[in-house]
Amino acid sequence: MSDRSDGGMSLLEFHVLLALANGPLYGYAIRDAVAAESDGSLTPRAGSLYRVIARMMTWGLVSEAEPAEPLSPHPGLARKYYGLTAEGRSALAAEARRQKSAAALAEERLGAVGRS
Amino acid sequence: MKTIMGLLIRLFPSGFRAQFGRDLVEHVRDEHDRAWSRGPLRGLWYSIATALDLVRSAIAERLEPAWVAGGPDTSESEGVGWLMSGWTKDIRHAMRALRRTPGFTAVSIATLGLAIGANAGIFSVVDTVLLDPLPYPDADRLVYIAATAPGSDLPEEFGVSAEFFVQYSEQSTMLEDVALTNSFTSTLRADERVERVWMSSPTASLFSTLGVKPILGRLPVDEDESRVAVISHALWTTWFGSDFGVIGRSYYMSGADREIIGVMGPDFRYPVEGTLLWFPTPVRAERIVPGRFGAPMVGRLAPGATLEGLTAELHTLAQRLPERFGGSAAYARLIERHRPIVRPLRDEVLGDISGPLWVLLGSVGIVLLIACANVANLFMVRGEQRQRDLAIRRAIGAGRGQLFRSQMAESLVVALFAGALAVVLARASVPAFLRAAPPNVPRLGDVSMTVPTLLFTLGVCLLSALLCGLIPAIRASSPNVAGLRDGSRGSTRRRHWGRDGLVIAQTALALVLLIGSGLLIRSFQQLRSVDPGYDTADIFTFQIAPERASLNDAQSFAAFHMDFMDRLAALPGVESVGLVENVPLDEGTSSGRFATEEEPDIESGALLSYTWAGGDYFGTMSIQVLTGRAFTQADHISDLGNVVISKSAADMLWPGENPIGRRLRPQGAEAWETVVGVVEDVMQNGFRDSPQALVYFPLVGQSPGARIVSSPAYVMRTGRAENIAPEVRALVSEVAPEAPMYRVYTMAGLAAASMVQLSFTMLALGITSVLALILGTVGLYGVLSYVVAERTREIGVRMALGAEAKSVQRMVVGQGIRVVIIGVVIGVLVARASTRALSSLLFGVEAADLATFVGMSGAMLLVGLLASYVPARRASSVDPIESLRE
């Protein structure tokens, strides 16, 4: 598990895990998925993205994987695919739960204010 | 573009690149294509942003790796606070490691401490004296104004006269304020205390020009005329015990009673450091006689004015002076040639001290570099000894950054402790050092450990830590696991190059300092061997200022002096006594124009210096009489009108002819003087001076209005010059109890004082060069010893195979000498380029003096030979069996 002093994973890390939850992807596809799924608010540059992937791998949340479907031929050399590990899935789930309860609390408070 | 990205990707650590490198390249390529396909603007934006991100990520990855093969390293994942907490851990480890090797730690701290201390000490002097010499508001706007008249016979630079002051102060738009100043010694009498002290009688505008206010009382205004005075803080505390009641009391100062109206603050010491009081000189435009040059002027620039603009304006204003104030035709000619000299006041006040101080700062900087080289060597040796430790740490996963940081932490700890030691050393030794410094250096008494000095010391510590620790730290963090296997026995070429380079640098730098001091030593010897025209050994000199009702004209004073000199001559051990108005090496002579019968126009007469001499002056000072005779008794007690002139004067007035019997007339006098003797020239102002054309008047002058010789300098030739003062004092209090005794010197002391700028720099540079030589020698010795220890096995094998002791010795010495020779060559080249910095101090010796260069280089080679010898002996005494057993 991560051991961060600020107590949680960053938004980018969450979205990388999220993007991989559907199956292994290669780097560029991860970037596109993250951009799409964060409504365009996260557009990581190459260096930052790969460091996040590296950190996830160090923590054991992500590992190299085989692509789920046969490759559609793309230009360039064979790329590495990255996929979630079992720990990665639980970490993603735990974070999603945490965010969900925080979001619920926010709605409750805002709703209460709006009503009065 | 893509190649640039490729290069930037190479900034990442090798482990990261191994895993992600290819993907990164492809990723960037795809993004690049996509961005550029949308237009050049998009593409450029993408390229810049991505490049920046790559650099940032690479640095971040190096400092705190996100990718660690084999699992997370918990000591690295401390979040954003790693910068602080990582360092504290490293420093704690470093202190523990250093404590385990106390010898190394002590030597390193001591070496650096001495070097940093020297730097801190000199910097504290530079900071106070050079960078902040004027304690006045807006001191950069203050200027010193003098004059020059090329093509006339006046000196290259001379002080102006009162009409300049009136003209400038009334009509200059670029000068906000201006004042005439002067400086002289005169009698101060307060209650029972009588002394001859330094005073100044400037125009009252001096205080407003400088922008100073008194701490007590008020400043003089024009209405006060000369009846009032302002005293210095030093005078107030030492003479009056800080008594507030001193305001309003009158005391006798320089010939008149004046009322004290104010006390100045402790920082105000203008124009010379020892000035104790100021009384104003009013200037009346209608009473000015133009052409009485000699007064320095200080002014404050108006806002927006520049030095060039001011110089031009003053030039124009000065041209109108004859029109306004009259004066002779010669004066008008002089004004035509006149050009104002304007320079910042700080340059004037600093005078000759800035050169030596910068030289000193440079030389202690060099010593610091040498010390750092030594300590860096020690760190490298220590690092090599811990190769096993480091290799093991690397093998179990310690990051390169971590190891780098831990090495740097050690050098930082050493440097900081050395810095603390340095501050203590500097504080203790700077006062002693300053006592040998030239007198009259502004603010020398104010030197202390200022905040800028402490900041400077901290900066130097950090720099030293960097210099000492960088190479060892890089070495420590380089992945050389092979060293583990080898048992650290192999000697890589890279390692030797680093160490040799340091020794070469040390040798070169030490040689530069040695050559510098050698040049100064030779200059000093040359200066001391100059014949100034008089003796300086065994001569005692002093002045008194007798005052009583019976002393009121030239005759009475002459009689007093003759009588007093007889009594001085009667003291035991005294061979002869004389007197002179301006004693060489202490006071300057006056100068004026003289007409001769051949050149009767006084306005274009020769400009000669003049003074008064009496008793057996020439004999006492061993000034040779070349033709004619010296003064006799008769010359001094009646107005016969005889004078003695110096050889240069004779050559100037009557070249190639016999001057005896010729007549000359000083400006302002009506009667003619007759030359009765010619003496050899003397150097009045120091041994670098050129001989003066000098006229000696006797004690009783001819014309009415001739100067009365009231307080000359007595000179006594005696073997007891060093300790005759108390007897003389006793005699003075018997003969003239009201007269203060001052300017008490031996001529030998004055001679030494005149050379103090050179001798002080020579001493300081000599000390630093010896220090550098010692450090360099120790460095060379250490390196060679280590090399021998390293190669013990190899030597043992050689000797076992039949090599003679001599050949082993030659091998070691050869290694040492090779390094020293390279260092000497580099040192000679650097010295050649840099000794120019000393040229203002050198005398009789060129900056590229061959003998000094060759001599010092030879000495350096010799020292190198000696330093190599001991390790060589040790090498050849290696027992082959022992060495192979290791």
Side-chain angles (χ1 to χ4, degrees), chain A residues 10-35:
Chain A
S10 75
L11 195 59
L12 180 58
E13 286 162 359
F14 173 72
H15 272 279
V16 165
L17 290 179
L18 181 60
L20 292 177
N22 252 352
L25 296 173
Y26 66 93
Y28 207 80
I30 298 178
R31 181 212 171 273
D32 283 344
V34 164

mmCIF file of all heavy atoms in Angstrom, chain A residues 10-35:
data_model
loop_
_atom_site.group_PDB
_atom_site.id
_atom_site.type_symbol
_atom_site.label_atom_id
_atom_site.label_comp_id
_atom_site.label_asym_id
_atom_site.label_seq_id
_atom_site.Cartn_x
_atom_site.Cartn_y
_atom_site.Cartn_z
ATOM 1 N N SER A 10 -2.985 10.749 -5.260
ATOM 2 C CA SER A 10 -3.314 11.956 -5.999
ATOM 3 C C SER A 10 -4.391 11.641 -7.037
ATOM 4 O O SER A 10 -4.675 10.480 -7.344
ATOM 5 C CB SER A 10 -2.076 12.496 -6.687
ATOM 6 O OG SER A 10 -1.778 11.695 -7.805
ATOM 7 N N LEU A 11 -4.982 12.691 -7.557
ATOM 8 C CA LEU A 11 -6.053 12.531 -8.534
ATOM 9 C C LEU A 11 -5.548 11.810 -9.768
ATOM 10 O O LEU A 11 -6.229 10.940 -10.337
ATOM 11 C CB LEU A 11 -6.609 13.909 -8.900
ATOM 12 C CG LEU A 11 -7.950 13.901 -9.612
ATOM 13 C CD1 LEU A 11 -8.992 13.220 -8.747
ATOM 14 C CD2 LEU A 11 -8.378 15.314 -9.949
ATOM 15 N N LEU A 12 -4.325 12.159 -10.176
ATOM 16 C CA LEU A 12 -3.764 11.536 -11.380
ATOM 17 C C LEU A 12 -3.552 10.048 -11.142
ATOM 18 O O LEU A 12 -3.871 9.204 -12.009
ATOM 19 C CB LEU A 12 -2.451 12.221 -11.751
ATOM 20 C CG LEU A 12 -1.744 11.665 -12.995
ATOM 21 C CD1 LEU A 12 -2.669 11.745 -14.205
ATOM 22 C CD2 LEU A 12 -0.455 12.427 -13.257
ATOM 23 N N GLU A 13 -3.036 9.724 -9.983
ATOM 24 C CA GLU A 13 -2.815 8.304 -9.688
ATOM 25 C C GLU A 13 -4.147 7.546 -9.719
ATOM 26 O O GLU A 13 -4.249 6.444 -10.262
ATOM 27 C CB GLU A 13 -2.147 8.152 -8.315
ATOM 28 C CG GLU A 13 -0.680 8.560 -8.346
ATOM 29 C CD GLU A 13 -0.130 8.842 -6.952
ATOM 30 O OE1 GLU A 13 -0.897 8.737 -5.970
ATOM 31 O OE2 GLU A 13 1.059 9.168 -6.854
ATOM 32 N N PHE A 14 -5.188 8.154 -9.138
ATOM 33 C CA PHE A 14 -6.506 7.524 -9.127
ATOM 34 C C PHE A 14 -6.991 7.264 -10.557
ATOM 35 O O PHE A 14 -7.463 6.175 -10.881
ATOM 36 C CB PHE A 14 -7.491 8.427 -8.381
ATOM 37 C CG PHE A 14 -8.908 7.976 -8.439
ATOM 38 C CD1 PHE A 14 -9.318 6.861 -7.736
ATOM 39 C CD2 PHE A 14 -9.841 8.669 -9.223
ATOM 40 C CE1 PHE A 14 -10.640 6.437 -7.797
ATOM 41 C CE2 PHE A 14 -11.152 8.247 -9.276
ATOM 42 C CZ PHE A 14 -11.564 7.130 -8.567
ATOM 43 N N HIS A 15 -6.846 8.272 -11.409
ATOM 44 C CA HIS A 15 -7.325 8.124 -12.769
ATOM 45 C C HIS A 15 -6.527 7.125 -13.581
ATOM 46 O O HIS A 15 -7.069 6.467 -14.475
ATOM 47 C CB HIS A 15 -7.351 9.492 -13.464
ATOM 48 C CG HIS A 15 -8.637 10.220 -13.256
ATOM 49 N ND1 HIS A 15 -9.758 9.955 -14.000
ATOM 50 C CD2 HIS A 15 -8.997 11.173 -12.358
ATOM 51 C CE1 HIS A 15 -10.764 10.719 -13.586
ATOM 52 N NE2 HIS A 15 -10.325 11.472 -12.577
ATOM 53 N N VAL A 16 -5.243 7.010 -13.291
ATOM 54 C CA VAL A 16 -4.445 5.990 -13.986
ATOM 55 C C VAL A 16 -4.963 4.605 -13.606
ATOM 56 O O VAL A 16 -5.182 3.731 -14.454
ATOM 57 C CB VAL A 16 -2.952 6.144 -13.647
ATOM 58 C CG1 VAL A 16 -2.175 4.909 -14.053
ATOM 59 C CG2 VAL A 16 -2.369 7.369 -14.329
ATOM 60 N N LEU A 17 -5.205 4.393 -12.328
ATOM 61 C CA LEU A 17 -5.742 3.109 -11.894
ATOM 62 C C LEU A 17 -7.108 2.871 -12.520
ATOM 63 O O LEU A 17 -7.431 1.762 -12.979
ATOM 64 C CB LEU A 17 -5.845 3.077 -10.362
ATOM 65 C CG LEU A 17 -4.532 3.027 -9.587
ATOM 66 C CD1 LEU A 17 -4.800 3.026 -8.099
ATOM 67 C CD2 LEU A 17 -3.716 1.807 -9.982
ATOM 68 N N LEU A 18 -7.887 3.937 -12.522
ATOM 69 C CA LEU A 18 -9.221 3.830 -13.101
ATOM 70 C C LEU A 18 -9.158 3.425 -14.561
ATOM 71 O O LEU A 18 -9.903 2.542 -15.020
ATOM 72 C CB LEU A 18 -9.937 5.177 -12.954
ATOM 73 C CG LEU A 18 -11.367 5.254 -13.494
ATOM 74 C CD1 LEU A 18 -12.245 4.242 -12.769
ATOM 75 C CD2 LEU A 18 -11.924 6.653 -13.312
ATOM 76 N N ALA A 19 -8.234 4.072 -15.294
ATOM 77 C CA ALA A 19 -8.126 3.775 -16.731
ATOM 78 C C ALA A 19 -7.750 2.321 -16.963
ATOM 79 O O ALA A 19 -8.184 1.689 -17.936
ATOM 80 C CB ALA A 19 -7.085 4.713 -17.361
ATOM 81 N N LEU A 20 -6.938 1.772 -16.034
ATOM 82 C CA LEU A 20 -6.478 0.396 -16.235
ATOM 83 C C LEU A 20 -7.499 -0.623 -15.737
ATOM 84 O O LEU A 20 -7.333 -1.834 -15.941
ATOM 85 C CB LEU A 20 -5.160 0.183 -15.487
ATOM 86 C CG LEU A 20 -3.968 0.961 -16.044
ATOM 87 C CD1 LEU A 20 -2.724 0.737 -15.189
ATOM 88 C CD2 LEU A 20 -3.683 0.536 -17.471
ATOM 89 N N ALA A 21 -8.548 -0.133 -15.091
ATOM 90 C CA ALA A 21 -9.509 -1.085 -14.501
ATOM 91 C C ALA A 21 -10.243 -1.879 -15.567
ATOM 92 O O ALA A 21 -10.724 -2.975 -15.317
ATOM 93 C CB ALA A 21 -10.491 -0.326 -13.617
ATOM 94 N N ASN A 22 -10.294 -1.321 -16.752
ATOM 95 C CA ASN A 22 -10.988 -2.017 -17.831
ATOM 96 C C ASN A 22 -10.125 -3.035 -18.539
ATOM 97 O O ASN A 22 -10.621 -3.748 -19.404
ATOM 98 C CB ASN A 22 -11.457 -0.994 -18.878
ATOM 99 C CG ASN A 22 -12.958 -0.822 -18.825
ATOM 100 O OD1 ASN A 22 -13.643 -1.565 -18.129
ATOM 101 N ND2 ASN A 22 -13.453 0.137 -19.582
ATOM 102 N N GLY A 23 -8.856 -3.022 -18.225
ATOM 103 C CA GLY A 23 -7.945 -3.940 -18.928
ATOM 104 C C GLY A 23 -6.641 -3.242 -19.226
ATOM 105 O O GLY A 23 -6.555 -2.011 -19.166
ATOM 106 N N PRO A 24 -5.630 -4.015 -19.506
ATOM 107 C CA PRO A 24 -4.297 -3.440 -19.716
ATOM 108 C C PRO A 24 -4.266 -2.459 -20.892
ATOM 109 O O PRO A 24 -4.934 -2.651 -21.898
ATOM 110 C CB PRO A 24 -3.427 -4.658 -20.004
ATOM 111 C CG PRO A 24 -4.172 -5.822 -19.468
ATOM 112 C CD PRO A 24 -5.622 -5.482 -19.611
ATOM 113 N N LEU A 25 -3.514 -1.410 -20.728
ATOM 114 C CA LEU A 25 -3.334 -0.422 -21.781
ATOM 115 C C LEU A 25 -1.848 -0.082 -21.905
ATOM 116 O O LEU A 25 -1.069 -0.291 -20.978
ATOM 117 C CB LEU A 25 -4.088 0.871 -21.460
ATOM 118 C CG LEU A 25 -5.608 0.803 -21.378
ATOM 119 C CD1 LEU A 25 -6.156 2.152 -20.880
ATOM 120 C CD2 LEU A 25 -6.189 0.479 -22.745
ATOM 121 N N TYR A 26 -1.491 0.469 -23.078
ATOM 122 C CA TYR A 26 -0.132 1.007 -23.192
ATOM 123 C C TYR A 26 -0.169 2.510 -22.903
ATOM 124 O O TYR A 26 -1.242 3.110 -22.816
ATOM 125 C CB TYR A 26 0.480 0.704 -24.559
ATOM 126 C CG TYR A 26 -0.176 1.390 -25.736
ATOM 127 C CD1 TYR A 26 0.297 2.610 -26.213
ATOM 128 C CD2 TYR A 26 -1.256 0.795 -26.390
ATOM 129 C CE1 TYR A 26 -0.300 3.239 -27.297
ATOM 130 C CE2 TYR A 26 -1.850 1.412 -27.471
ATOM 131 C CZ TYR A 26 -1.363 2.634 -27.929
ATOM 132 O OH TYR A 26 -1.952 3.241 -28.994
ATOM 133 N N GLY A 27 0.998 3.086 -22.760
ATOM 134 C CA GLY A 27 1.160 4.443 -22.228
ATOM 135 C C GLY A 27 0.264 5.488 -22.862
ATOM 136 O O GLY A 27 -0.459 6.220 -22.171
ATOM 137 N N TYR A 28 0.309 5.543 -24.184
ATOM 138 C CA TYR A 28 -0.444 6.601 -24.841
ATOM 139 C C TYR A 28 -1.936 6.443 -24.626
ATOM 140 O O TYR A 28 -2.675 7.420 -24.443
ATOM 141 C CB TYR A 28 -0.122 6.617 -26.340
ATOM 142 C CG TYR A 28 -0.319 7.983 -26.915
ATOM 143 C CD1 TYR A 28 0.641 8.982 -26.757
ATOM 144 C CD2 TYR A 28 -1.511 8.295 -27.579
ATOM 145 C CE1 TYR A 28 0.443 10.240 -27.255
ATOM 146 C CE2 TYR A 28 -1.703 9.572 -28.093
ATOM 147 C CZ TYR A 28 -0.723 10.526 -27.927
ATOM 148 O OH TYR A 28 -0.926 11.785 -28.411
ATOM 149 N N ALA A 29 -2.394 5.199 -24.622
ATOM 150 C CA ALA A 29 -3.818 4.933 -24.397
ATOM 151 C C ALA A 29 -4.213 5.336 -22.988
ATOM 152 O O ALA A 29 -5.313 5.828 -22.756
ATOM 153 C CB ALA A 29 -4.096 3.459 -24.639
ATOM 154 N N ILE A 30 -3.324 5.097 -22.018
ATOM 155 C CA ILE A 30 -3.599 5.514 -20.639
ATOM 156 C C ILE A 30 -3.810 7.018 -20.611
ATOM 157 O O ILE A 30 -4.742 7.541 -19.983
ATOM 158 C CB ILE A 30 -2.450 5.115 -19.700
ATOM 159 C CG1 ILE A 30 -2.269 3.607 -19.666
ATOM 160 C CG2 ILE A 30 -2.690 5.666 -18.309
ATOM 161 C CD1 ILE A 30 -1.122 3.141 -18.793
ATOM 162 N N ARG A 31 -2.947 7.742 -21.311
ATOM 163 C CA ARG A 31 -3.058 9.191 -21.317
ATOM 164 C C ARG A 31 -4.405 9.633 -21.876
ATOM 165 O O ARG A 31 -5.088 10.501 -21.309
ATOM 166 C CB ARG A 31 -1.916 9.782 -22.145
ATOM 167 C CG ARG A 31 -1.935 11.303 -22.174
ATOM 168 C CD ARG A 31 -1.392 11.826 -23.502
ATOM 169 N NE ARG A 31 -1.612 13.258 -23.604
ATOM 170 C CZ ARG A 31 -2.740 13.795 -24.086
ATOM 171 N NH1 ARG A 31 -3.734 13.033 -24.466
ATOM 172 N NH2 ARG A 31 -2.862 15.106 -24.149
ATOM 173 N N ASP A 32 -4.804 9.031 -22.997
ATOM 174 C CA ASP A 32 -6.080 9.399 -23.587
ATOM 175 C C ASP A 32 -7.228 9.088 -22.652
ATOM 176 O O ASP A 32 -8.165 9.878 -22.486
ATOM 177 C CB ASP A 32 -6.272 8.652 -24.917
ATOM 178 C CG ASP A 32 -5.446 9.286 -26.028
ATOM 179 O OD1 ASP A 32 -4.990 10.434 -25.835
ATOM 180 O OD2 ASP A 32 -5.271 8.647 -27.078
ATOM 181 N N ALA A 33 -7.170 7.919 -22.027
ATOM 182 C CA ALA A 33 -8.263 7.519 -21.125
ATOM 183 C C ALA A 33 -8.366 8.470 -19.954
ATOM 184 O O ALA A 33 -9.464 8.899 -19.575
ATOM 185 C CB ALA A 33 -8.016 6.087 -20.639
ATOM 186 N N VAL A 34 -7.246 8.793 -19.388
ATOM 187 C CA VAL A 34 -7.238 9.712 -18.240
ATOM 188 C C VAL A 34 -7.824 11.053 -18.649
ATOM 189 O O VAL A 34 -8.661 11.633 -17.935
ATOM 190 C CB VAL A 34 -5.802 9.889 -17.692
ATOM 191 C CG1 VAL A 34 -5.716 11.103 -16.776
ATOM 192 C CG2 VAL A 34 -5.345 8.643 -16.965
ATOM 193 N N ALA A 35 -7.423 11.548 -19.807
ATOM 194 C CA ALA A 35 -7.939 12.835 -20.268
ATOM 195 C C ALA A 35 -9.439 12.780 -20.451
ATOM 196 O O ALA A 35 -10.180 13.668 -20.020
ATOM 197 C CB ALA A 35 -7.241 13.231 -21.562
#
